[in-house]
Amino acid sequence: MLKGIAVSNGVGIGRVLLIEEKSLKYIPKTVTDTDTEISRLQCAIAKFCRKTEKQAEALKKTTGESEAEIITGHIGIAKDPFLAEETEKLIKNGQCAESALESVCDIFISVFSASDDDLTKQRAADVRDVKKSILRLLLGIEEVKISEAPKGTILVAKELTPSMTAEIVKENIVGIVTETGSTTSHSAIIARALEIPAVLSVPNAVDILKNGSTAIVDGSEGIVINTPDAAMLESFSLKRETLFKERKELETFRGKKTVSASGEKYELFCNIGNPDDALAAMEYDSEGVGLFRTEFLFMNRTSFPTEKEQFEAYKRAALILKGKPLTIRTLDIGGDKPLPYLGLQKEENPFLGFRAIRYCLKNENIFKTQLRAILRASAFGNIKIMFPLITCIDELREGKAQVESVKKELRAEHITFDENIEIGVMIETAAAAVIADILAKEADFFSIGTNDLIGYTMACDRGNSSVSYLYSVFQPSVLRMIKRTIECGQKNHIPVGMCGEAAANPLMIPLLISFGLTEFSVSAPSVLSVRKSISKFTKQQAEEITQNVMNLTSEKEIDEYLKTVI
Ligand code: PEP
Ligand code: MG
C-alpha cells in the first residue's frame, strides 16, 4: 500500500496509465535565417495558444470559470511581451528558437522559484509547463494523449501539470496519483472539481505502479493499492458504491440555501489557509469564508511576509469570493503553531504563553503591517477582521485601537479601504466565553473556536494523546461555554458563528441550531454534508434533543444519547 496526500475524495478502481515525460533534449543550433526562426517560434506559440484556448473552453463547461482561468493564465505567459522581445533578441543573435525560448523561460523560472511567496512560486511551475508545451511543439514531440485514455484509467505521473489536467475526460479517468503536489496545487483543485479521487505526493509512484496494472486510489484516506487481491477489490468496490451514493445525495444540496427543516436560514462558510483555498470554498458551494488562518502565509519561510505579499494574498482571496464574506484572522502563532524566525524564548507552557493576539499587541510593526494589508484588501471585497485568543476586554480594545490607527495612516495616504470593516472576536478560551457578555458589547461578531475552547476549558492540550479522552466538545462544561457565548451574542444583537471542527460534527448540529448559532464555518469538503445535516432538523426537534442533552451530566452519556437520536 502506498501513502500520499488525500486531495480529492472517493475511491477509484482501474488500470494504470503512466504519463512518462518524453525527453525534450535537442542539440542547440546556430541559425542564420533569423526571420524564419522567429516565425517558427511564433507559429509554435500561436498553436499553443489555440490549443490552450480550446482546453479552457472545455474546462469552463466541465469544471467552471475559476479552473479555466488557470489554463488561460498560460496563454498570458506565452504571449508575454517581455518573453517575446527577449527570445527574438536571442534568435537575432543566432540562437535557435528552442534554446532562445528555454533561456528566457529559465530566467522567469529562477526568479519566481526564489520567491518566498507560494503564489509566485506557483508561477514558476506555470512557466515551466508553458515552456515544455511550446518546446514539444517546436521539436514535433507527440504527447501522451490523456484525452484518449480509455474508460477506467488511473493517471500516474511525477507531476500533473495544469495543461495535462485540462486534457482529462471526466468519464474516463477514475483516479489520479502523482509524486508531487498538495491540497492546493492546481491538479488537486481540478481533480476535486472533476470529482476524481486523487492522491498526490506519493513517493516513487511512477516506478512502483506499472502501466496497465490494476490499482485502487482512495482519495479520502490518501492511499493507493497496487495490484489488489480479490478481497481488497470487493471491499473497496463496496466503499466506492457507498461514497458514490452519499455524494449523489449530497449533490442535491448544491446551489441551495442552508435552511433547517422548519425554514430558519443559516450561513455556511469555509475555513481556508491560503488564498487558493478560496477557490475550493467556491467549488464546494460555500457562502463565504468564516476563517482565513493567515498564519500559513507566515510559515515555511525565513522572514515575515511583506505588506505587499500579504495584501496580494488577501486581495486574491477577496476577488475569488466575488463579494462573499471573507473573515481574516490576524496572526495566530505560538502553541501548536510555532514560527522559528520569531526568535522567541522557549516557554514552559507555550499554550498558555506569549502567542496570537498577545504577541501581536506587543509587536506593533508586525501587527500593523498585517492590518494595513487587510484594510487595503478590504477595498476589493467583503472583508472582516477577527482577533484570536482574546481573554479580556483590554485585548479587544487595544486591537481595535491599532486598527483605528492604521485606518488613520491609510486615510492620510489617500488609500481606499472599507471604513466600516467589522471586527470580531474568536471565542476560544474559557475566559472569553465567561466574559462573552462584556465582549459582545464591543465586538461586531463572535466566532467560536471549539478546537481551542475544548482544550482551554478542559485544561487539556489538544495534541496530547494521553489526555485526549477529556478532549471532547460533548463535555457538559464545553457545551455550556458554547451556549453562553451564543446567548450573549444574541442579547447584544451580534452574529455568532463557529469555525472550530465541531461545526461540522453531525451530532452537534441540533445543539447548535437550538442554541441559536447563525454561521457555520467548516472545511470545504464538509459544506454539502453540513447543509444536509442542518436540513434534517426542525427548530423544535433540535430543541427537544438539546433539552435532553443539557440534562445529562457526563460526556459519555451525551455522546451515547446523540448517537441514538441522530
Ligand atoms: C479553533 O481553535 O477552534 C480554531 C478554529 O482555530 P485553530 O484551529 O486555528 O486554532
Ligand atoms: Mg484556535
Side-chain angles (χ1 to χ4, degrees), residues 216 228-238:
I216 298 173
D229 60 23
M232 274 179 168
L233 280 173
E234 197 185 324
S235 105
F236 277 92
S237 300
L238 227 109

PDB file of all heavy atoms in Angstrom, residues 216 228-238:
ATOM      1  N   ILE A 216      -5.981   0.645  -6.920  1.00  0.00           N
ATOM      2  CA  ILE A 216      -7.100   1.311  -6.239  1.00  0.00           C
ATOM      3  C   ILE A 216      -6.570   2.647  -5.721  1.00  0.00           C
ATOM      4  O   ILE A 216      -5.484   2.696  -5.136  1.00  0.00           O
ATOM      5  CB  ILE A 216      -7.602   0.471  -5.030  1.00  0.00           C
ATOM      6  CG1 ILE A 216      -8.116  -0.889  -5.502  1.00  0.00           C
ATOM      7  CG2 ILE A 216      -8.678   1.217  -4.253  1.00  0.00           C
ATOM      8  CD1 ILE A 216      -8.476  -1.839  -4.358  1.00  0.00           C
ATOM      9  N   PRO A 228      -4.308  -5.020  -6.335  1.00  0.00           N
ATOM     10  CA  PRO A 228      -5.053  -5.510  -5.162  1.00  0.00           C
ATOM     11  C   PRO A 228      -5.555  -6.944  -5.351  1.00  0.00           C
ATOM     12  O   PRO A 228      -5.795  -7.363  -6.493  1.00  0.00           O
ATOM     13  CB  PRO A 228      -6.239  -4.553  -5.083  1.00  0.00           C
ATOM     14  CG  PRO A 228      -6.378  -3.988  -6.457  1.00  0.00           C
ATOM     15  CD  PRO A 228      -5.033  -3.991  -7.084  1.00  0.00           C
ATOM     16  N   ASP A 229      -5.712  -7.686  -4.225  1.00  0.00           N
ATOM     17  CA  ASP A 229      -6.268  -9.039  -4.345  1.00  0.00           C
ATOM     18  C   ASP A 229      -7.804  -8.959  -4.372  1.00  0.00           C
ATOM     19  O   ASP A 229      -8.386  -7.872  -4.216  1.00  0.00           O
ATOM     20  CB  ASP A 229      -5.768  -9.945  -3.211  1.00  0.00           C
ATOM     21  CG  ASP A 229      -6.151  -9.421  -1.840  1.00  0.00           C
ATOM     22  OD1 ASP A 229      -7.127  -8.650  -1.761  1.00  0.00           O
ATOM     23  OD2 ASP A 229      -5.468  -9.755  -0.848  1.00  0.00           O
ATOM     24  N   ALA A 230      -8.448 -10.120  -4.554  1.00  0.00           N
ATOM     25  CA  ALA A 230      -9.905 -10.136  -4.742  1.00  0.00           C
ATOM     26  C   ALA A 230     -10.650  -9.540  -3.547  1.00  0.00           C
ATOM     27  O   ALA A 230     -11.622  -8.795  -3.706  1.00  0.00           O
ATOM     28  CB  ALA A 230     -10.354 -11.572  -4.992  1.00  0.00           C
ATOM     29  N   ALA A 231     -10.166  -9.846  -2.339  1.00  0.00           N
ATOM     30  CA  ALA A 231     -10.853  -9.355  -1.134  1.00  0.00           C
ATOM     31  C   ALA A 231     -10.797  -7.830  -1.082  1.00  0.00           C
ATOM     32  O   ALA A 231     -11.796  -7.155  -0.757  1.00  0.00           O
ATOM     33  CB  ALA A 231     -10.202  -9.964   0.103  1.00  0.00           C
ATOM     34  N   MET A 232      -9.634  -7.287  -1.405  1.00  0.00           N
ATOM     35  CA  MET A 232      -9.479  -5.825  -1.391  1.00  0.00           C
ATOM     36  C   MET A 232     -10.372  -5.177  -2.444  1.00  0.00           C
ATOM     37  O   MET A 232     -11.031  -4.170  -2.184  1.00  0.00           O
ATOM     38  CB  MET A 232      -8.034  -5.445  -1.689  1.00  0.00           C
ATOM     39  CG  MET A 232      -7.183  -5.437  -0.455  1.00  0.00           C
ATOM     40  SD  MET A 232      -5.537  -5.012  -0.906  1.00  0.00           S
ATOM     41  CE  MET A 232      -4.860  -4.735   0.699  1.00  0.00           C
ATOM     42  N   LEU A 233     -10.397  -5.806  -3.623  1.00  0.00           N
ATOM     43  CA  LEU A 233     -11.225  -5.247  -4.696  1.00  0.00           C
ATOM     44  C   LEU A 233     -12.683  -5.202  -4.263  1.00  0.00           C
ATOM     45  O   LEU A 233     -13.376  -4.213  -4.487  1.00  0.00           O
ATOM     46  CB  LEU A 233     -11.089  -6.097  -5.968  1.00  0.00           C
ATOM     47  CG  LEU A 233      -9.841  -5.831  -6.802  1.00  0.00           C
ATOM     48  CD1 LEU A 233      -9.725  -6.840  -7.932  1.00  0.00           C
ATOM     49  CD2 LEU A 233      -9.860  -4.421  -7.373  1.00  0.00           C
ATOM     50  N   GLU A 234     -13.100  -6.256  -3.575  1.00  0.00           N
ATOM     51  CA  GLU A 234     -14.502  -6.312  -3.155  1.00  0.00           C
ATOM     52  C   GLU A 234     -14.782  -5.239  -2.108  1.00  0.00           C
ATOM     53  O   GLU A 234     -15.761  -4.499  -2.200  1.00  0.00           O
ATOM     54  CB  GLU A 234     -14.819  -7.709  -2.607  1.00  0.00           C
ATOM     55  CG  GLU A 234     -16.316  -7.926  -2.562  1.00  0.00           C
ATOM     56  CD  GLU A 234     -16.685  -9.237  -1.918  1.00  0.00           C
ATOM     57  OE1 GLU A 234     -15.944 -10.234  -2.117  1.00  0.00           O
ATOM     58  OE2 GLU A 234     -17.699  -9.247  -1.206  1.00  0.00           O
ATOM     59  N   SER A 235     -13.884  -5.141  -1.109  1.00  0.00           N
ATOM     60  CA  SER A 235     -14.184  -4.193  -0.035  1.00  0.00           C
ATOM     61  C   SER A 235     -14.118  -2.749  -0.538  1.00  0.00           C
ATOM     62  O   SER A 235     -14.931  -1.917  -0.143  1.00  0.00           O
ATOM     63  CB  SER A 235     -13.284  -4.463   1.183  1.00  0.00           C
ATOM     64  OG  SER A 235     -12.284  -3.516   1.290  1.00  0.00           O
ATOM     65  N   PHE A 236     -13.187  -2.443  -1.442  1.00  0.00           N
ATOM     66  CA  PHE A 236     -13.122  -1.067  -1.950  1.00  0.00           C
ATOM     67  C   PHE A 236     -14.248  -0.771  -2.938  1.00  0.00           C
ATOM     68  O   PHE A 236     -14.689   0.371  -3.043  1.00  0.00           O
ATOM     69  CB  PHE A 236     -11.746  -0.770  -2.562  1.00  0.00           C
ATOM     70  CG  PHE A 236     -10.738  -0.388  -1.508  1.00  0.00           C
ATOM     71  CD1 PHE A 236      -9.934  -1.337  -0.907  1.00  0.00           C
ATOM     72  CD2 PHE A 236     -10.627   0.928  -1.083  1.00  0.00           C
ATOM     73  CE1 PHE A 236      -9.030  -0.985   0.086  1.00  0.00           C
ATOM     74  CE2 PHE A 236      -9.724   1.293  -0.095  1.00  0.00           C
ATOM     75  CZ  PHE A 236      -8.921   0.328   0.486  1.00  0.00           C
ATOM     76  N   SER A 237     -14.730  -1.818  -3.655  1.00  0.00           N
ATOM     77  CA  SER A 237     -15.882  -1.586  -4.547  1.00  0.00           C
ATOM     78  C   SER A 237     -17.080  -1.182  -3.706  1.00  0.00           C
ATOM     79  O   SER A 237     -17.834  -0.263  -4.065  1.00  0.00           O
ATOM     80  CB  SER A 237     -16.262  -2.843  -5.312  1.00  0.00           C
ATOM     81  OG  SER A 237     -15.206  -3.273  -6.079  1.00  0.00           O
ATOM     82  N   LEU A 238     -17.214  -1.836  -2.566  1.00  0.00           N
ATOM     83  CA  LEU A 238     -18.321  -1.528  -1.669  1.00  0.00           C
ATOM     84  C   LEU A 238     -18.227  -0.102  -1.150  1.00  0.00           C
ATOM     85  O   LEU A 238     -19.189   0.658  -1.140  1.00  0.00           O
ATOM     86  CB  LEU A 238     -18.279  -2.500  -0.492  1.00  0.00           C
ATOM     87  CG  LEU A 238     -19.630  -3.106  -0.184  1.00  0.00           C
ATOM     88  CD1 LEU A 238     -19.577  -4.579  -0.607  1.00  0.00           C
ATOM     89  CD2 LEU A 238     -19.928  -3.001   1.284  1.00  0.00           C
TER      90      LEU A 238
END
